Amino acid sequence: MQSYLEYLDQHGSRFLDGTLITIQQTIIAGLLAIAISLVVGLMKLSSHKVIRWPAIGYIEFFRGTSLLVQLYWIFFVLPLFGITFEKFTAGFIAVGLNLGAYGAELVRGSIQSVPRGQYEAALALNMSPYKRMKRIIFPQALLIMLPPWGNLLIELLKGTALVSLIAVADLMFEAKQINGSTFLSAESFGTALIIYYLMARLVISPAMRAFEKYWAKKMGRFANHA
Amino acid sequence: MLEWKWAYSLEILPRLLSAAVNTLIAAGIGYLIALVVGLVFALLQRTGVRPVTFIVREIVEFIRSTPLVVQIFFVFYVGPQFGIRLSPWASGMIAIGLHYASYLSEVYRAGLDNVPKGQWEACKALNLNPVKTYFRIIIPQAIPPSLPAMGNYLISIFKDTPMLSVIGVAELVHTATTIGTETYRYVEPYTLVGLIFLAISLPAAFGLRRFEAWVARYFGMTK
């Protein structure tokens, strides 16, 4: 125990630096994933093939291959086509694009599970398609999709650990470096695992649950009903 | 601007395909471990013994909310610190098996919870012991509704095997990187790896959907 405290004292600041990078990656990739899933999820619901098919292609492609393969491809292969990203950028782009494909399916599924009567009522009230989605359908769909989004954001946090493999100095990367210089593997990787766990359990899960509760209340239903 | 070299692609393809076999083996072994350990996790959570339930629940939560790649490093590097030396394959299989066991335990849990209460009561009325109750009555009914989710995790585990490359398991991504460093050409190896993944996981996902429909019909479940 004593030696672990010494270990933390010595390397704590590096873990902290890494954690900050991981948080940045998670937030940026998360925003990207949310934006993509809204756009692609709605595109997949379109009745026009020209709009629907690219969305299907996107989802199948990014869900059909590994995040790691996508990351390497973006970082090592795209530059040869003249598109070069900095490693930090390549990291959140890969994570965001990948999780966005999963999110798009959540968006599509939840919009489809809003009862049909709601569409019909909105139509009967002569609402424009935009207003129908924004005022009637999406708020209800959001209530349905929030719990799985909580899980998806934890997957996203976990996904960011892969950016260490293209040398982004995130939490995982720092743990690996410290392990390399101290050979204290249990301490190095164990500490990283605990920090990831705390971020998931003490930040993402409670925040999502709070948002779920807030939204359910706003929608005028009981939280446990959703 | 780069060009795609067909001759080179054909030259490296056999190596990548044999690596793909390794990937499939890794996914298969990992999945088998996950199926068994996941069931153990699920059953332990139903023992009703408070400390056991609590500890297993926390372990499952911990494994589920931390990155697999860190777990792989942990299993691989922590052993030697205490004098246990595991091969990359062994540690990779343990890590990936445990990771997915925690996911599958949730699937089993949902399946077990969905078995109607009357089935339990009937077992009690017939004086079946707990082993018989679970293995003859409850689990056979819990499995069919869980099959789709279980199949999804099989595909997920397949897509997560590239993470084993970080400790030197010669699966697809590791082989592609090796080829890349030998020849200084990364376009073909990484692109081919992506295509191989698509070539396996898309038909697998399609097959899974067919299988789901068949399961629903065969076991007379209505969606």
Side-chain angles (χ1 to χ4, degrees), chain A residues 63-66 68 73 80 102 155 158 172 176 185-187 193 197 201, chain B residues 2 58 61 64 66 70 73 77 81 103 159 162 187 191 194 201-202:
Chain A
R63 299 205 324 165
T65 53
S66 301
L68 186 57
W73 211 85
L80 304 167
Y102 289 88
E155 292 298 322
K158 288 161 60 182
M172 161 79 193
K176 219 164 65 180
S185 306
E187 288 85 342
L193 284 173
Y197 178 66
R201 279 301 286 281
Chain B
L2 98 160
E58 285 306 306
E61 279 300 326
R64 262 159 45 99
T66 52
V70 186
F73 273 115
Y77 285 106
Q81 203 180 344
Y103 279 99
K159 286 183 295 183
V187 186
T191 308
S201 66
L202 289 186

PDB file of all heavy atoms in Angstrom, chain A residues 63-66 68 73 80 102 155 158 172 176 185-187 193 197 201, chain B residues 2 58 61 64 66 70 73 77 81 103 159 162 187 191 194 201-202:
ATOM      1  N   ARG A  63     -19.928  -0.534 -39.060  1.00  0.00           N
ATOM      2  CA  ARG A  63     -20.224  -1.573 -38.077  1.00  0.00           C
ATOM      3  C   ARG A  63     -19.658  -2.919 -38.490  1.00  0.00           C
ATOM      4  O   ARG A  63     -19.555  -3.830 -37.686  1.00  0.00           O
ATOM      5  CB  ARG A  63     -21.742  -1.696 -37.863  1.00  0.00           C
ATOM      6  CG  ARG A  63     -22.334  -0.399 -37.346  1.00  0.00           C
ATOM      7  CD  ARG A  63     -23.597  -0.592 -36.590  1.00  0.00           C
ATOM      8  NE  ARG A  63     -24.432  -1.649 -37.137  1.00  0.00           N
ATOM      9  CZ  ARG A  63     -25.438  -2.178 -36.474  1.00  0.00           C
ATOM     10  NH1 ARG A  63     -25.715  -1.768 -35.263  1.00  0.00           N
ATOM     11  NH2 ARG A  63     -26.171  -3.122 -37.035  1.00  0.00           N
ATOM     12  N   GLY A  64     -19.294  -3.022 -39.774  1.00  0.00           N
ATOM     13  CA  GLY A  64     -18.798  -4.303 -40.265  1.00  0.00           C
ATOM     14  C   GLY A  64     -17.309  -4.503 -40.072  1.00  0.00           C
ATOM     15  O   GLY A  64     -16.822  -5.626 -40.153  1.00  0.00           O
ATOM     16  N   THR A  65     -16.569  -3.412 -39.854  1.00  0.00           N
ATOM     17  CA  THR A  65     -15.129  -3.558 -39.650  1.00  0.00           C
ATOM     18  C   THR A  65     -14.769  -3.085 -38.242  1.00  0.00           C
ATOM     19  O   THR A  65     -15.574  -2.484 -37.555  1.00  0.00           O
ATOM     20  CB  THR A  65     -14.331  -2.746 -40.686  1.00  0.00           C
ATOM     21  OG1 THR A  65     -14.793  -1.409 -40.674  1.00  0.00           O
ATOM     22  CG2 THR A  65     -14.500  -3.331 -42.065  1.00  0.00           C
ATOM     23  N   SER A  66     -13.520  -3.356 -37.866  1.00  0.00           N
ATOM     24  CA  SER A  66     -13.095  -3.026 -36.510  1.00  0.00           C
ATOM     25  C   SER A  66     -12.703  -1.569 -36.390  1.00  0.00           C
ATOM     26  O   SER A  66     -12.171  -0.978 -37.321  1.00  0.00           O
ATOM     27  CB  SER A  66     -11.866  -3.848 -36.148  1.00  0.00           C
ATOM     28  OG  SER A  66     -12.156  -5.188 -36.235  1.00  0.00           O
ATOM     29  N   LEU A  68     -10.267  -0.516 -34.725  1.00  0.00           N
ATOM     30  CA  LEU A  68      -8.805  -0.433 -34.855  1.00  0.00           C
ATOM     31  C   LEU A  68      -8.390  -0.370 -36.323  1.00  0.00           C
ATOM     32  O   LEU A  68      -7.505   0.404 -36.701  1.00  0.00           O
ATOM     33  CB  LEU A  68      -8.158  -1.633 -34.155  1.00  0.00           C
ATOM     34  CG  LEU A  68      -6.644  -1.617 -34.067  1.00  0.00           C
ATOM     35  CD1 LEU A  68      -6.158  -0.363 -33.356  1.00  0.00           C
ATOM     36  CD2 LEU A  68      -6.128  -2.845 -33.343  1.00  0.00           C
ATOM     37  N   TRP A  73      -6.460   2.772 -40.778  1.00  0.00           N
ATOM     38  CA  TRP A  73      -6.691   3.159 -42.166  1.00  0.00           C
ATOM     39  C   TRP A  73      -6.688   4.683 -42.277  1.00  0.00           C
ATOM     40  O   TRP A  73      -6.046   5.248 -43.149  1.00  0.00           O
ATOM     41  CB  TRP A  73      -8.023   2.583 -42.651  1.00  0.00           C
ATOM     42  CG  TRP A  73      -8.000   2.284 -44.109  1.00  0.00           C
ATOM     43  CD1 TRP A  73      -7.542   1.148 -44.706  1.00  0.00           C
ATOM     44  CD2 TRP A  73      -8.433   3.150 -45.159  1.00  0.00           C
ATOM     45  NE1 TRP A  73      -7.661   1.251 -46.053  1.00  0.00           N
ATOM     46  CE2 TRP A  73      -8.200   2.467 -46.375  1.00  0.00           C
ATOM     47  CE3 TRP A  73      -8.975   4.431 -45.204  1.00  0.00           C
ATOM     48  CZ2 TRP A  73      -8.497   3.019 -47.608  1.00  0.00           C
ATOM     49  CZ3 TRP A  73      -9.274   4.977 -46.435  1.00  0.00           C
ATOM     50  CH2 TRP A  73      -9.033   4.269 -47.617  1.00  0.00           C
ATOM     51  N   LEU A  80      -1.754   8.823 -47.802  1.00  0.00           N
ATOM     52  CA  LEU A  80      -1.261   8.471 -49.128  1.00  0.00           C
ATOM     53  C   LEU A  80      -2.210   8.952 -50.216  1.00  0.00           C
ATOM     54  O   LEU A  80      -1.853   9.037 -51.380  1.00  0.00           O
ATOM     55  CB  LEU A  80      -1.072   6.958 -49.222  1.00  0.00           C
ATOM     56  CG  LEU A  80      -0.138   6.390 -48.145  1.00  0.00           C
ATOM     57  CD1 LEU A  80      -0.226   4.886 -48.088  1.00  0.00           C
ATOM     58  CD2 LEU A  80       1.291   6.828 -48.416  1.00  0.00           C
ATOM     59  N   TYR A 102     -23.109   3.204 -34.934  1.00  0.00           N
ATOM     60  CA  TYR A 102     -23.957   2.511 -33.955  1.00  0.00           C
ATOM     61  C   TYR A 102     -25.068   3.428 -33.471  1.00  0.00           C
ATOM     62  O   TYR A 102     -26.208   3.017 -33.301  1.00  0.00           O
ATOM     63  CB  TYR A 102     -23.115   2.020 -32.772  1.00  0.00           C
ATOM     64  CG  TYR A 102     -22.212   0.864 -33.119  1.00  0.00           C
ATOM     65  CD1 TYR A 102     -20.935   1.079 -33.611  1.00  0.00           C
ATOM     66  CD2 TYR A 102     -22.655  -0.443 -32.983  1.00  0.00           C
ATOM     67  CE1 TYR A 102     -20.104   0.017 -33.955  1.00  0.00           C
ATOM     68  CE2 TYR A 102     -21.844  -1.504 -33.313  1.00  0.00           C
ATOM     69  CZ  TYR A 102     -20.564  -1.278 -33.800  1.00  0.00           C
ATOM     70  OH  TYR A 102     -19.760  -2.317 -34.148  1.00  0.00           O
ATOM     71  N   GLU A 155     -19.137   2.817 -24.320  1.00  0.00           N
ATOM     72  CA  GLU A 155     -18.372   2.153 -25.380  1.00  0.00           C
ATOM     73  C   GLU A 155     -17.430   3.144 -26.054  1.00  0.00           C
ATOM     74  O   GLU A 155     -16.305   2.806 -26.412  1.00  0.00           O
ATOM     75  CB  GLU A 155     -19.319   1.563 -26.437  1.00  0.00           C
ATOM     76  CG  GLU A 155     -20.167   0.398 -25.950  1.00  0.00           C
ATOM     77  CD  GLU A 155     -19.325  -0.786 -25.518  1.00  0.00           C
ATOM     78  OE1 GLU A 155     -18.309  -1.057 -26.181  1.00  0.00           O
ATOM     79  OE2 GLU A 155     -19.670  -1.426 -24.511  1.00  0.00           O
ATOM     80  N   LYS A 158     -14.454   3.760 -23.924  1.00  0.00           N
ATOM     81  CA  LYS A 158     -13.559   2.618 -24.038  1.00  0.00           C
ATOM     82  C   LYS A 158     -12.837   2.631 -25.385  1.00  0.00           C
ATOM     83  O   LYS A 158     -11.659   2.293 -25.470  1.00  0.00           O
ATOM     84  CB  LYS A 158     -14.358   1.322 -23.890  1.00  0.00           C
ATOM     85  CG  LYS A 158     -14.834   1.075 -22.475  1.00  0.00           C
ATOM     86  CD  LYS A 158     -15.972   0.092 -22.416  1.00  0.00           C
ATOM     87  CE  LYS A 158     -15.587  -1.256 -22.981  1.00  0.00           C
ATOM     88  NZ  LYS A 158     -16.734  -2.191 -22.946  1.00  0.00           N
ATOM     89  N   MET A 172      -4.360   5.488 -21.593  1.00  0.00           N
ATOM     90  CA  MET A 172      -3.793   4.181 -21.931  1.00  0.00           C
ATOM     91  C   MET A 172      -2.320   4.313 -22.330  1.00  0.00           C
ATOM     92  O   MET A 172      -1.466   3.516 -21.928  1.00  0.00           O
ATOM     93  CB  MET A 172      -4.623   3.612 -23.086  1.00  0.00           C
ATOM     94  CG  MET A 172      -3.986   2.525 -23.860  1.00  0.00           C
ATOM     95  SD  MET A 172      -4.122   0.978 -22.994  1.00  0.00           S
ATOM     96  CE  MET A 172      -2.969   0.041 -23.963  1.00  0.00           C
ATOM     97  N   LYS A 176       0.997   2.751 -20.461  1.00  0.00           N
ATOM     98  CA  LYS A 176       1.962   1.907 -21.164  1.00  0.00           C
ATOM     99  C   LYS A 176       3.384   2.448 -20.978  1.00  0.00           C
ATOM    100  O   LYS A 176       4.324   1.684 -20.746  1.00  0.00           O
ATOM    101  CB  LYS A 176       1.591   1.859 -22.647  1.00  0.00           C
ATOM    102  CG  LYS A 176       1.777   0.499 -23.257  1.00  0.00           C
ATOM    103  CD  LYS A 176       1.064   0.362 -24.588  1.00  0.00           C
ATOM    104  CE  LYS A 176       1.619   1.263 -25.670  1.00  0.00           C
ATOM    105  NZ  LYS A 176       0.921   1.117 -26.946  1.00  0.00           N
ATOM    106  N   SER A 185       3.573  -3.423 -13.657  1.00  0.00           N
ATOM    107  CA  SER A 185       2.430  -3.562 -14.569  1.00  0.00           C
ATOM    108  C   SER A 185       1.097  -3.512 -13.840  1.00  0.00           C
ATOM    109  O   SER A 185       0.158  -2.864 -14.300  1.00  0.00           O
ATOM    110  CB  SER A 185       2.530  -4.870 -15.341  1.00  0.00           C
ATOM    111  OG  SER A 185       3.768  -4.937 -15.975  1.00  0.00           O
ATOM    112  N   ALA A 186       1.000  -4.201 -12.715  1.00  0.00           N
ATOM    113  CA  ALA A 186      -0.273  -4.222 -11.995  1.00  0.00           C
ATOM    114  C   ALA A 186      -0.674  -2.806 -11.624  1.00  0.00           C
ATOM    115  O   ALA A 186      -1.825  -2.401 -11.803  1.00  0.00           O
ATOM    116  CB  ALA A 186      -0.162  -5.096 -10.746  1.00  0.00           C
ATOM    117  N   GLU A 187       0.304  -2.016 -11.123  1.00  0.00           N
ATOM    118  CA  GLU A 187       0.015  -0.643 -10.734  1.00  0.00           C
ATOM    119  C   GLU A 187      -0.349   0.200 -11.955  1.00  0.00           C
ATOM    120  O   GLU A 187      -1.325   0.946 -11.939  1.00  0.00           O
ATOM    121  CB  GLU A 187       1.223  -0.013 -10.025  1.00  0.00           C
ATOM    122  CG  GLU A 187       1.470  -0.537  -8.627  1.00  0.00           C
ATOM    123  CD  GLU A 187       2.298  -1.818  -8.623  1.00  0.00           C
ATOM    124  OE1 GLU A 187       2.397  -2.483  -9.681  1.00  0.00           O
ATOM    125  OE2 GLU A 187       2.844  -2.165  -7.561  1.00  0.00           O
ATOM    126  N   LEU A 193      -7.140   1.226 -15.479  1.00  0.00           N
ATOM    127  CA  LEU A 193      -8.461   0.580 -15.482  1.00  0.00           C
ATOM    128  C   LEU A 193      -9.390   1.252 -14.475  1.00  0.00           C
ATOM    129  O   LEU A 193     -10.556   1.514 -14.771  1.00  0.00           O
ATOM    130  CB  LEU A 193      -8.330  -0.910 -15.145  1.00  0.00           C
ATOM    131  CG  LEU A 193      -7.807  -1.826 -16.251  1.00  0.00           C
ATOM    132  CD1 LEU A 193      -7.567  -3.232 -15.725  1.00  0.00           C
ATOM    133  CD2 LEU A 193      -8.791  -1.874 -17.421  1.00  0.00           C
ATOM    134  N   TYR A 197     -12.863   3.168 -15.178  1.00  0.00           N
ATOM    135  CA  TYR A 197     -14.077   2.716 -14.499  1.00  0.00           C
ATOM    136  C   TYR A 197     -14.768   3.880 -13.809  1.00  0.00           C
ATOM    137  O   TYR A 197     -15.992   4.054 -13.920  1.00  0.00           O
ATOM    138  CB  TYR A 197     -13.700   1.628 -13.488  1.00  0.00           C
ATOM    139  CG  TYR A 197     -14.855   1.099 -12.690  1.00  0.00           C
ATOM    140  CD1 TYR A 197     -15.868   0.376 -13.309  1.00  0.00           C
ATOM    141  CD2 TYR A 197     -14.932   1.310 -11.321  1.00  0.00           C
ATOM    142  CE1 TYR A 197     -16.931  -0.122 -12.583  1.00  0.00           C
ATOM    143  CE2 TYR A 197     -15.986   0.805 -10.584  1.00  0.00           C
ATOM    144  CZ  TYR A 197     -16.989   0.099 -11.224  1.00  0.00           C
ATOM    145  OH  TYR A 197     -18.031  -0.388 -10.500  1.00  0.00           O
ATOM    146  N   ARG A 201     -18.517   5.038 -14.468  1.00  0.00           N
ATOM    147  CA  ARG A 201     -19.533   4.832 -13.436  1.00  0.00           C
ATOM    148  C   ARG A 201     -19.923   6.102 -12.696  1.00  0.00           C
ATOM    149  O   ARG A 201     -21.050   6.267 -12.280  1.00  0.00           O
ATOM    150  CB  ARG A 201     -19.047   3.796 -12.420  1.00  0.00           C
ATOM    151  CG  ARG A 201     -19.221   2.362 -12.837  1.00  0.00           C
ATOM    152  CD  ARG A 201     -20.653   1.972 -13.127  1.00  0.00           C
ATOM    153  NE  ARG A 201     -21.512   1.813 -11.954  1.00  0.00           N
ATOM    154  CZ  ARG A 201     -21.523   0.758 -11.169  1.00  0.00           C
ATOM    155  NH1 ARG A 201     -20.726  -0.258 -11.388  1.00  0.00           N
ATOM    156  NH2 ARG A 201     -22.337   0.691 -10.150  1.00  0.00           N
TER     157      ARG A 201
ATOM    158  N   LEU B   2      -0.927   7.998 -54.866  1.00  0.00           N
ATOM    159  CA  LEU B   2      -0.573   6.583 -54.752  1.00  0.00           C
ATOM    160  C   LEU B   2      -1.286   5.736 -55.792  1.00  0.00           C
ATOM    161  O   LEU B   2      -2.272   6.130 -56.380  1.00  0.00           O
ATOM    162  CB  LEU B   2      -0.917   6.075 -53.353  1.00  0.00           C
ATOM    163  CG  LEU B   2      -2.237   5.337 -53.205  1.00  0.00           C
ATOM    164  CD1 LEU B   2      -2.189   4.511 -51.962  1.00  0.00           C
ATOM    165  CD2 LEU B   2      -3.372   6.309 -53.175  1.00  0.00           C
ATOM    166  N   GLU B  58     -20.276  -6.391  -9.231  1.00  0.00           N
ATOM    167  CA  GLU B  58     -19.273  -5.321  -9.373  1.00  0.00           C
ATOM    168  C   GLU B  58     -18.186  -5.712 -10.368  1.00  0.00           C
ATOM    169  O   GLU B  58     -17.728  -4.887 -11.149  1.00  0.00           O
ATOM    170  CB  GLU B  58     -18.643  -4.987  -8.010  1.00  0.00           C
ATOM    171  CG  GLU B  58     -19.548  -4.177  -7.109  1.00  0.00           C
ATOM    172  CD  GLU B  58     -20.059  -2.902  -7.770  1.00  0.00           C
ATOM    173  OE1 GLU B  58     -19.239  -2.105  -8.265  1.00  0.00           O
ATOM    174  OE2 GLU B  58     -21.291  -2.700  -7.801  1.00  0.00           O
ATOM    175  N   GLU B  61     -19.618  -5.266 -13.809  1.00  0.00           N
ATOM    176  CA  GLU B  61     -19.688  -3.841 -14.137  1.00  0.00           C
ATOM    177  C   GLU B  61     -18.305  -3.287 -14.458  1.00  0.00           C
ATOM    178  O   GLU B  61     -18.118  -2.518 -15.394  1.00  0.00           O
ATOM    179  CB  GLU B  61     -20.280  -3.045 -12.961  1.00  0.00           C
ATOM    180  CG  GLU B  61     -21.785  -3.084 -12.887  1.00  0.00           C
ATOM    181  CD  GLU B  61     -22.439  -2.505 -14.131  1.00  0.00           C
ATOM    182  OE1 GLU B  61     -21.887  -1.552 -14.712  1.00  0.00           O
ATOM    183  OE2 GLU B  61     -23.491  -3.033 -14.527  1.00  0.00           O
ATOM    184  N   ARG B  64     -17.084  -4.532 -17.816  1.00  0.00           N
ATOM    185  CA  ARG B  64     -17.850  -3.944 -18.913  1.00  0.00           C
ATOM    186  C   ARG B  64     -17.527  -2.481 -19.156  1.00  0.00           C
ATOM    187  O   ARG B  64     -17.677  -1.998 -20.271  1.00  0.00           O
ATOM    188  CB  ARG B  64     -19.347  -4.072 -18.629  1.00  0.00           C
ATOM    189  CG  ARG B  64     -20.006  -5.237 -19.315  1.00  0.00           C
ATOM    190  CD  ARG B  64     -21.291  -5.615 -18.632  1.00  0.00           C
ATOM    191  NE  ARG B  64     -22.111  -4.463 -18.322  1.00  0.00           N
ATOM    192  CZ  ARG B  64     -23.145  -4.068 -19.062  1.00  0.00           C
ATOM    193  NH1 ARG B  64     -23.482  -4.737 -20.118  1.00  0.00           N
ATOM    194  NH2 ARG B  64     -23.859  -3.032 -18.711  1.00  0.00           N
ATOM    195  N   THR B  66     -14.597  -0.892 -18.671  1.00  0.00           N
ATOM    196  CA  THR B  66     -13.207  -0.510 -18.945  1.00  0.00           C
ATOM    197  C   THR B  66     -12.768  -1.085 -20.287  1.00  0.00           C
ATOM    198  O   THR B  66     -13.303  -2.092 -20.736  1.00  0.00           O
ATOM    199  CB  THR B  66     -12.278  -1.000 -17.821  1.00  0.00           C
ATOM    200  OG1 THR B  66     -12.508  -2.391 -17.606  1.00  0.00           O
ATOM    201  CG2 THR B  66     -12.525  -0.252 -16.536  1.00  0.00           C
ATOM    202  N   VAL B  70      -6.906  -2.254 -22.611  1.00  0.00           N
ATOM    203  CA  VAL B  70      -6.164  -2.105 -21.351  1.00  0.00           C
ATOM    204  C   VAL B  70      -6.178  -3.429 -20.589  1.00  0.00           C
ATOM    205  O   VAL B  70      -5.182  -3.830 -19.987  1.00  0.00           O
ATOM    206  CB  VAL B  70      -6.768  -0.978 -20.479  1.00  0.00           C
ATOM    207  CG1 VAL B  70      -5.905  -0.733 -19.253  1.00  0.00           C
ATOM    208  CG2 VAL B  70      -6.901   0.305 -21.268  1.00  0.00           C
ATOM    209  N   PHE B  73      -3.566  -5.747 -22.032  1.00  0.00           N
ATOM    210  CA  PHE B  73      -2.239  -5.397 -21.503  1.00  0.00           C
ATOM    211  C   PHE B  73      -2.094  -5.862 -20.060  1.00  0.00           C
ATOM    212  O   PHE B  73      -1.066  -6.400 -19.670  1.00  0.00           O
ATOM    213  CB  PHE B  73      -2.019  -3.879 -21.557  1.00  0.00           C
ATOM    214  CG  PHE B  73      -1.475  -3.408 -22.864  1.00  0.00           C
ATOM    215  CD1 PHE B  73      -2.226  -2.582 -23.681  1.00  0.00           C
ATOM    216  CD2 PHE B  73      -0.210  -3.774 -23.283  1.00  0.00           C
ATOM    217  CE1 PHE B  73      -1.723  -2.139 -24.891  1.00  0.00           C
ATOM    218  CE2 PHE B  73       0.295  -3.337 -24.489  1.00  0.00           C
ATOM    219  CZ  PHE B  73      -0.463  -2.513 -25.303  1.00  0.00           C
ATOM    220  N   TYR B  77       0.822  -8.407 -18.988  1.00  0.00           N
ATOM    221  CA  TYR B  77       2.012  -7.909 -18.286  1.00  0.00           C
ATOM    222  C   TYR B  77       2.002  -8.166 -16.791  1.00  0.00           C
ATOM    223  O   TYR B  77       3.051  -8.152 -16.162  1.00  0.00           O
ATOM    224  CB  TYR B  77       2.190  -6.404 -18.536  1.00  0.00           C
ATOM    225  CG  TYR B  77       2.718  -6.110 -19.906  1.00  0.00           C
ATOM    226  CD1 TYR B  77       1.885  -5.586 -20.887  1.00  0.00           C
ATOM    227  CD2 TYR B  77       4.054  -6.366 -20.225  1.00  0.00           C
ATOM    228  CE1 TYR B  77       2.366  -5.320 -22.165  1.00  0.00           C
ATOM    229  CE2 TYR B  77       4.533  -6.106 -21.491  1.00  0.00           C
ATOM    230  CZ  TYR B  77       3.687  -5.583 -22.459  1.00  0.00           C
ATOM    231  OH  TYR B  77       4.167  -5.340 -23.709  1.00  0.00           O
ATOM    232  N   GLN B  81       4.959 -10.205 -13.513  1.00  0.00           N
ATOM    233  CA  GLN B  81       5.345  -9.480 -12.305  1.00  0.00           C
ATOM    234  C   GLN B  81       5.252 -10.380 -11.078  1.00  0.00           C
ATOM    235  O   GLN B  81       5.985 -10.204 -10.112  1.00  0.00           O
ATOM    236  CB  GLN B  81       4.409  -8.273 -12.137  1.00  0.00           C
ATOM    237  CG  GLN B  81       4.999  -7.167 -11.307  1.00  0.00           C
ATOM    238  CD  GLN B  81       4.031  -6.007 -11.189  1.00  0.00           C
ATOM    239  OE1 GLN B  81       3.071  -5.888 -11.942  1.00  0.00           O
ATOM    240  NE2 GLN B  81       4.291  -5.120 -10.238  1.00  0.00           N
ATOM    241  N   TYR B 103     -20.374  -9.355 -20.732  1.00  0.00           N
ATOM    242  CA  TYR B 103     -21.507  -8.951 -21.569  1.00  0.00           C
ATOM    243  C   TYR B 103     -22.546 -10.065 -21.646  1.00  0.00           C
ATOM    244  O   TYR B 103     -23.738  -9.839 -21.529  1.00  0.00           O
ATOM    245  CB  TYR B 103     -21.032  -8.618 -22.988  1.00  0.00           C
ATOM    246  CG  TYR B 103     -20.448  -7.242 -23.125  1.00  0.00           C
ATOM    247  CD1 TYR B 103     -19.085  -7.036 -23.106  1.00  0.00           C
ATOM    248  CD2 TYR B 103     -21.276  -6.141 -23.286  1.00  0.00           C
ATOM    249  CE1 TYR B 103     -18.544  -5.781 -23.235  1.00  0.00           C
ATOM    250  CE2 TYR B 103     -20.743  -4.874 -23.422  1.00  0.00           C
ATOM    251  CZ  TYR B 103     -19.373  -4.691 -23.398  1.00  0.00           C
ATOM    252  OH  TYR B 103     -18.852  -3.439 -23.520  1.00  0.00           O
ATOM    253  N   LYS B 159     -14.861  -8.693 -34.241  1.00  0.00           N
ATOM    254  CA  LYS B 159     -14.348  -7.370 -34.608  1.00  0.00           C
ATOM    255  C   LYS B 159     -13.388  -6.798 -33.564  1.00  0.00           C
ATOM    256  O   LYS B 159     -12.676  -5.844 -33.844  1.00  0.00           O
ATOM    257  CB  LYS B 159     -15.514  -6.402 -34.836  1.00  0.00           C
ATOM    258  CG  LYS B 159     -16.220  -6.683 -36.142  1.00  0.00           C
ATOM    259  CD  LYS B 159     -17.299  -5.687 -36.394  1.00  0.00           C
ATOM    260  CE  LYS B 159     -18.381  -5.823 -35.360  1.00  0.00           C
ATOM    261  NZ  LYS B 159     -19.505  -4.912 -35.602  1.00  0.00           N
ATOM    262  N   PRO B 162      -8.725  -7.644 -33.380  1.00  0.00           N
ATOM    263  CA  PRO B 162      -7.525  -6.881 -33.735  1.00  0.00           C
ATOM    264  C   PRO B 162      -6.800  -6.301 -32.527  1.00  0.00           C
ATOM    265  O   PRO B 162      -5.597  -6.039 -32.594  1.00  0.00           O
ATOM    266  CB  PRO B 162      -8.070  -5.759 -34.619  1.00  0.00           C
ATOM    267  CG  PRO B 162      -9.250  -6.335 -35.256  1.00  0.00           C
ATOM    268  CD  PRO B 162      -9.868  -7.214 -34.206  1.00  0.00           C
ATOM    269  N   VAL B 187      -0.958   0.651 -47.748  1.00  0.00           N
ATOM    270  CA  VAL B 187      -2.275   0.804 -48.373  1.00  0.00           C
ATOM    271  C   VAL B 187      -2.937  -0.553 -48.577  1.00  0.00           C
ATOM    272  O   VAL B 187      -4.048  -0.798 -48.112  1.00  0.00           O
ATOM    273  CB  VAL B 187      -2.155   1.503 -49.746  1.00  0.00           C
ATOM    274  CG1 VAL B 187      -3.549   1.781 -50.278  1.00  0.00           C
ATOM    275  CG2 VAL B 187      -1.353   2.770 -49.617  1.00  0.00           C
ATOM    276  N   THR B 191      -6.005  -2.034 -46.313  1.00  0.00           N
ATOM    277  CA  THR B 191      -7.269  -2.036 -47.053  1.00  0.00           C
ATOM    278  C   THR B 191      -7.803  -3.459 -47.174  1.00  0.00           C
ATOM    279  O   THR B 191      -9.001  -3.710 -46.987  1.00  0.00           O
ATOM    280  CB  THR B 191      -7.069  -1.423 -48.444  1.00  0.00           C
ATOM    281  OG1 THR B 191      -6.426  -0.153 -48.290  1.00  0.00           O
ATOM    282  CG2 THR B 191      -8.388  -1.231 -49.157  1.00  0.00           C
ATOM    283  N   GLY B 194      -9.405  -4.550 -44.018  1.00  0.00           N
ATOM    284  CA  GLY B 194     -10.755  -3.991 -43.913  1.00  0.00           C
ATOM    285  C   GLY B 194     -11.741  -4.786 -44.751  1.00  0.00           C
ATOM    286  O   GLY B 194     -12.836  -5.124 -44.297  1.00  0.00           O
ATOM    287  N   SER B 201     -17.914 -10.260 -41.744  1.00  0.00           N
ATOM    288  CA  SER B 201     -18.936  -9.822 -40.793  1.00  0.00           C
ATOM    289  C   SER B 201     -20.267  -9.474 -41.455  1.00  0.00           C
ATOM    290  O   SER B 201     -21.310  -9.649 -40.835  1.00  0.00           O
ATOM    291  CB  SER B 201     -18.437  -8.666 -39.940  1.00  0.00           C
ATOM    292  OG  SER B 201     -18.228  -7.536 -40.722  1.00  0.00           O
ATOM    293  N   LEU B 202     -20.259  -9.008 -42.698  1.00  0.00           N
ATOM    294  CA  LEU B 202     -21.548  -8.699 -43.335  1.00  0.00           C
ATOM    295  C   LEU B 202     -22.368  -9.963 -43.594  1.00  0.00           C
ATOM    296  O   LEU B 202     -23.534 -10.026 -43.205  1.00  0.00           O
ATOM    297  CB  LEU B 202     -21.352  -7.882 -44.619  1.00  0.00           C
ATOM    298  CG  LEU B 202     -20.906  -6.428 -44.421  1.00  0.00           C
ATOM    299  CD1 LEU B 202     -20.897  -5.681 -45.746  1.00  0.00           C
ATOM    300  CD2 LEU B 202     -21.788  -5.700 -43.421  1.00  0.00           C
TER     301      LEU B 202
END
